[in-house]
Amino acid sequence: MKSVSELIEIQDLLQRLRALLQARRQASATSDPQLSVQLARTDVVLTRVAAGEHPACEVCGEHIAVGELRRSPLAAICQRCALDAAQHVMDGIGDPPARQPPSP
C-alpha cells in the first residue's frame, strides 16, 4: 500500500488540475468536448484517491508511480506498459500482449 503522504500529494495534483480545467472551461466561449472528458476523468480519479485508492495501470493493474503522476496526473497506464506498447508499434508487431494483473 502506498503511503498516505503520496495519496495526499496525488490528490493535491488532481485538485490543481481540476481548478485549471474549470478555469479554462469558464474562459472558453465554446464548449470543448475534450475539456469535458478531462474534467470527468479528473473527478473519477479524485474520487478514488479520496477513498484511499492509488491510481493503477489499466493494463497491468500495478500502481502508477507518483513521479509519473506528477508529469501526467491523469495517466491511465504505467510507464512500463506504455513503453511495451510503443515498442510493439515500432516493431510493427501490432498490439502488445495483455499483462496479467498482480495477484492479491
Side-chain angles (χ1 to χ4, degrees), residues 36-65:
S36 296
V37 168
Q38 288 176 323
L39 268 167
R41 174 130 172 88
T42 302
D43 288 342
V44 167
V45 177
L46 255 173
T47 300
R48 290 180 179 163
V49 170
E53 184 180 326
H54 188 96
C57 176
E58 292 177 358
V59 176
C60 70
E62 294 195 8
H63 288 159
I64 298 175

Side-chain angles (χ1 to χ4, degrees), residues 74-102:
L74 297 180
I77 62 173
C78 68
Q79 186 176 16
R80 189 173 77 185
C81 289
L83 291 173
D84 285 352
Q87 187 64 50
H88 274 76
V89 169
M90 290 174 59
D91 291 344
I93 298 172
D95 292 335
R99 281 218 164 117
Q100 295 299 318

Side-chain angles (χ1 to χ4, degrees), residues 16 28 51 59 68 97 103:
R16 286 187 281 150
S28 176
V59 176
E68 293 175 54
S103 50

